[in-house]
Amino acid sequence: MAILVSDANIFVDITVANLTTAVFQLEDTIATPDVLYEEELQAHHPELPGLGLRIEQLPSEGVAEVERLHANYTGPSSNDLFALALAKTNEWTLLTGDRSLRQAAEEEAIEVHGTLWLVERMVNTQVMNVAQADTAFNLIKEKDCRLPLG
């Protein structure tokens, strides 16, 4: 069982694709930093913790890591850097569709994946079937959401 740290845009994709409940049926734990949840998700998605989203507070060394990352990377938002720091300090996988955050994660040697990988994981673990995945992808395309590679 892996712990997957998600930024906010993954939740945009899974909401549009009607996969919010399905994603929490994975054996993996999905986590997000408390700051990111409170500032970007809580108002529109208060149900997420009840479905299984783990809200994580960064320890002091994690906050120092955010400051270091902020000095090195100008593209990702502060909340995105909290997600990256959470993944890095715990050696967890990062989920994002944000190009600049993905690039920062790769430079920091953090395993990083996007929506396509997450849906593929749901198919491979039989949380959903291929037809359901195809429907999900079509919903995302209709809403003009970005589908990050892998």
Side-chain angles (χ1 to χ4, degrees):
M1 177 171 95
I3 297 180
L4 310 172
V5 177
S6 182
D7 71 352
N9 73 25
I10 292 294
F11 289 105
V12 170
D13 287 347
I14 67 168
T15 299
V16 165
N18 296 321
L19 297 177
T20 306
T21 303
V23 77
F24 290 104
Q25 292 174 8
L26 285 167
E27 290 184 9
D28 304 314
T29 299
I30 300 178
T32 201
D34 57 350
V35 173
L36 188 150
Y37 177 74
E38 291 164 10
E39 293 182 4
E40 296 188 42
L41 296 171
Q42 187 173 29
H44 299 289
H45 302 285
E47 76 285 359
L48 293 175
L51 292 172
L53 179 64
R54 194 161 115 182
I55 311 297
E56 290 282 329
Q57 184 175 13
L58 278 173
S60 58
E61 65 269 12
V63 175
E65 181 64 14
V66 171
E67 292 173 6
R68 184 192 70 78
L69 292 168
H70 198 290
N72 291 336
Y73 304 103
T74 58
S77 71
S78 292
N79 285 341
D80 286 344
L81 293 176
F82 270 89
L84 178 56
L86 181 63
K88 183 172 178 135
T89 58
N90 291 291
E91 298 181 1
W92 294 338
T93 300
L94 179 67
L95 298 175
T96 185
D98 181 277
R99 180 176 287 137
S100 61
L101 180 57
R102 178 182 288 268
Q103 289 172 342
E106 289 171 353
E107 288 181 33
E108 295 292 324
I110 302 301
E111 183 177 353
V112 59
H113 299 289
T115 303
L116 290 174
W117 178 87
L118 189 60
V119 172
E120 182 179 275
R121 192 162 177 92
M122 287 189 274
V123 170
N124 289 340
T125 59
Q126 300 178 344
V127 168
M128 62 192 297
N129 61 41
V130 173
Q132 291 168 315
D134 187 50
T135 299
F137 289 139
N138 286 330
L139 288 169
I140 292 170
K141 283 190 247 178
E142 286 173 16
K143 294 289 185 177
D144 202 25
C145 293
R146 294 169 285 143
L147 279 174
L149 299 174

